[in-house]
Amino acid sequence: MSITRLIWVSVILLWPWGVRAQNPAQARLEADIRFLADDLLEGRGTPSRGLDIAALYLAGQLRSAGWAPALGDSYLQSYAVHEFSPGDAAYEISIGGRSLATEDFVFLPFGIDPGRTPKSHPLVFTGWGLTAPEQGRDDLRGAPLEGAANLVLHGAPWEPAGDTPFGYDRAVGKSIASVGAGASLLVYVTPDFDTIRTRQAAGEAAFAREMENVAYAYLPDLNGRPSMGLGPILLLPTRIFDSVFAPILEGSYTDWQERLKGGQTPQRTLGIELVLRIDVQARPSRASNVLAVLPGTDPASKDGWVVLTAHYDHLGSQPVPAGRDGVWNGADDNASGTAAVLEIARRLAALPQRARSALVFLTSGEDRGLLGSAHYSENPLVPFARVAVNINVDMVGRSDGGVQGIAPGSSALFERARQIGSLHQIQVVPDQQPSWRILYLVDSYHFARFEVPVIEFFTGLHPDYHQPSDEVDKIQFTELARLVDVIAELASGFVQGEPRPGFERPAWFTTP
């Protein structure tokens, strides 16, 4: 061999593509994410053409990995979705016979079915409306909230941590607690109301501003029941409290804030009703979950199941001026988790023996209210009682060497994940934002409410969350590949017969 030829062979062997070839798993992860987060898929909104293309791609990848279709000869579980835009809806709201002007309220119709929403809702006042067992607080205990509108005030006896819309002491958390207690909607009085429609909006006011302008979707097959733990929220300014509620409650908004700070924890049925009329023509469509099965090989154990979940949808796209990005590509949220589950599926299929069977469940509609997992929970392919564990992978593309393993109700499941992580030099840490109650906002909600042990892998929020800037070039592919090693080993252990971890429903986890 000539020296020139030897040099060329060395160059070819040492070129960066040779390095990539040494880690085929990382290459597959990158290929899957680049496809799912490409502009051609238009943000994978539910429902959309881009979502349907993604579903076919995922089904093809699972078929090539050796997984069988879960629904006869199909990998797709189709369901009906109805949606409407804010501009299509007109709301008429009255309280105690007094009609509210449109500038005096913001209505966020989370999970609402306009055709089946009751028009009249008795009003109950619960002060701050807090359910926080960690703080020894439950303002809703014993309150007659079934079918009622829960009137609550902004605030808590402590300073809310961070500038976030989430948390049990914010509107979202108070809505979740209200839904769990049977309330039909939350009426939230906030001093920040007048900033909601301005550029000064921050925290939950900014969240309300954003949510007021997004299209809403719901499942007609649920007959008016919510698809998630979060329910509709009516936001009111303090001036409406003072003019409408103060005469009944014998105190202004300021008066009641002082009373609550002084330790008073009221529950009052107000004796008046909130009447809500919604005029909207929803658009019918359809979307699909992607489901595949891998049968166990042990006749004595194969009726037990391990379920891997990730949502493959995102927020879609919208027209924007030239030069601006109007596609929410969702590279981290959640092309990263979807690609991770595909890679784990490939490894499970390569196991020579499998005690339990496995189900890959890639959901749609998560970013629009857990629609796909809610539909599945009404039409499960595997009895929940037979599921040993649900492993959910959601936003794992921005790791700094660690990952959150959020396993509410199952310390044994978290500890197993932590042990495996340490073997791979990956720090698996517990929930870093426990006040958010993340379980209510992810697809594992529809497993935990049936007492299934769940764990959510998550590398945290970032400034690109739910923004068009959530792009592929920000994914940490090397770290993602290392995280997949950990999650795959955890899943493999349960597929190969590790005992089902215990589950004890957290005190704060209430479901309708």
Side-chain angles (χ1 to χ4, degrees):
M1 179 182 291
S2 70
I3 187 68
T4 303
R5 189 174 180 187
L6 180 61
I7 291 171
W8 275 111
V9 170
S10 299
V11 168
I12 291 171
L13 291 175
L14 295 175
W15 197 251
W17 58 59
V19 175
R20 173 66 54 82
Q22 291 174 10
N23 191 344
Q26 182 175 327
R28 289 190 295 267
L29 287 164
E30 183 170 347
D32 289 334
I33 292 174
R34 287 192 178 279
F35 180 85
L36 293 169
D38 193 273
D39 281 358
L40 290 175
L41 268 68
E42 301 168 342
R44 311 185 307 279
T46 303
S48 71
R49 178 182 62 175
L51 185 81
D52 294 342
I53 293 171
L56 293 175
Y57 174 83
L58 297 171
Q61 291 296 310
L62 289 164
R63 185 185 294 275
S64 68
W67 288 65
L71 298 107
D73 59 355
S74 177
Y75 291 87
L76 305 184
Q77 184 185 51
S78 177
Y79 60 91
V81 179
H82 287 187
E83 60 178 338
F84 61 93
S85 301
D88 300 333
Y91 305 115
E92 295 181 16
I93 298 175
S94 64
I95 300 174
R98 172 179 167 173
S99 296
L100 300 184
T102 54
E103 63 269 20
D104 285 335
F105 69 86
V106 169
F107 184 62
L108 307 179
F110 294 120
I112 207 165
D113 182 338
R116 293 185 172 93
T117 300
K119 291 183 172 58
S120 296
H121 309 258
L123 276 153
V124 176
F125 180 53
T126 61
W128 279 320
L130 293 162
T131 297
E134 307 93 324
Q135 305 279 3
R137 184 98 186 193
D138 189 353
D139 298 341
L140 307 189
R141 184 184 298 275
L145 287 173
E146 189 66 39
N150 186 22
L151 172 65
V152 308
L153 306 186
H154 166 93
W158 53 80
E159 186 65 27
D163 190 19
T164 171
F166 308 113
Y168 51 67
D169 47 16
R170 303 297 181 118
V172 168
K174 293 178 182 183
S175 171
I176 288 170
S178 296
V179 168
S184 55
L185 64 104
L186 180 78
V187 181
Y188 185 71
V189 183
T190 173
D192 298 328
F193 181 89
D194 291 329
T195 71
I196 290 175
R197 295 188 175 97
T198 70
R199 294 182 180 178
Q200 287 71 46
E204 62 184 11
F207 176 77
R209 179 186 182 185
E210 178 185 352
M211 291 297 101
E212 188 183 23
N213 295 301
V214 303
Y216 286 87
Y218 62 93
L219 300 179
D221 294 344
L222 291 184
N223 297 316
R225 290 178 286 111
S227 61
M228 58 177 174
L230 178 62
I233 302 174
L234 174 66
L235 295 102
L236 299 177
T238 59
R239 62 178 178 272
I240 293 298
F241 183 92
D242 290 345
S243 61
V244 176
F245 299 113
I248 301 171
L249 292 169
E250 300 176 333
S252 67
Y253 175 85
T254 302
D255 293 335
W256 271 104
Q257 285 289 357
E258 291 303 316
R259 293 173 188 174
L260 293 171
K261 291 174 184 175
Q264 193 169 343
T265 54
Q267 288 183 5
R268 297 195 186 185
T269 300
L270 301 188
I272 60 174
E273 293 192 338
L274 182 150
V275 176
L276 169 65
R277 295 184 177 88
I278 304 174
D279 183 11
V280 65
Q281 186 66 43
R283 299 180 296 276
S285 189
R286 299 194 71 81
S288 296
N289 296 318
V290 180
L291 294 120
V293 296
L294 189 66
T297 57
D298 182 350
S301 304
K302 66 179 182 179
D303 285 341
W305 290 80
V306 174
V307 180
L308 300 171
T309 52
H311 74 92
Y312 73 95
D313 68 299
H314 196 48
L315 300 178
S317 61
Q318 67 176 6
V320 295
R324 290 184 57 188
D325 187 356
V327 179
W328 284 268
N329 298 102
D332 189 26
D333 185 17
N334 183 37
S336 67
T338 303
V341 168
L342 286 180
E343 181 60 24
I344 294 164
R346 296 177 185 116
R347 299 185 193 186
L348 294 181
L351 292 174
Q353 299 291 327
R354 297 180 299 274
R356 293 188 178 97
S357 299
L359 174 72
V360 161
F361 174 20
L362 302 174
T363 75
S364 55
E366 192 266 5
D367 272 317
R368 302 199 73 180
L370 310 186
L371 301 181
S373 54
H375 174 78
Y376 175 89
S377 73
E378 297 290 310
N379 305 274
L381 303 186
V382 175
F384 288 104
R386 294 184 187 171
V387 178
V389 64
N390 166 229
I391 299 172
N392 191 52
V393 192
D394 191 353
M395 296 181 62
V396 288
R398 302 287 190 95
S399 174
D400 57 0
V403 65
Q404 294 180 49
I406 303 173
S410 187
S411 58
L413 181 53
F414 168 77
E415 183 59 26
R416 183 67 183 123
R418 190 197 63 77
Q419 291 170 354
I420 294 171
S422 66
L423 297 175
H424 293 267
Q425 289 75 53
I426 295 289
Q427 186 178 19
V428 180
V429 299
D431 190 350
Q432 299 299 289
Q433 46 286 312
S435 70
W436 293 9
R437 316 287 201 224
I438 284 177
L439 182 57
Y440 284 107
L441 306 175
V442 299
D443 289 314
S444 286
Y445 168 78
H446 286 297
F447 288 85
R449 69 188 185 95
F450 290 102
E451 313 297 323
V452 174
V454 302
I455 187 166
E456 154 102 355
F457 287 97
F458 173 58
T459 54
L461 293 186
H462 44 71
D464 303 309
Y465 173 69
H466 281 195
Q467 300 297 323
S469 54
D470 183 4
E471 297 275 16
V472 173
D473 60 359
K474 297 177 181 177
I475 298 296
Q476 303 294 322
F477 287 106
T478 301
E479 292 302 323
L480 174 57
R482 296 178 66 224
L483 296 185
V484 167
D485 290 342
V486 173
I487 305 170
E489 188 170 330
L490 180 71
S492 297
F494 288 113
V495 167
Q496 291 175 309
E498 287 188 16
R500 184 184 195 267
F503 178 81
E504 183 177 350
R505 181 180 283 251
W508 50 262
F509 188 55
T510 57
T511 55

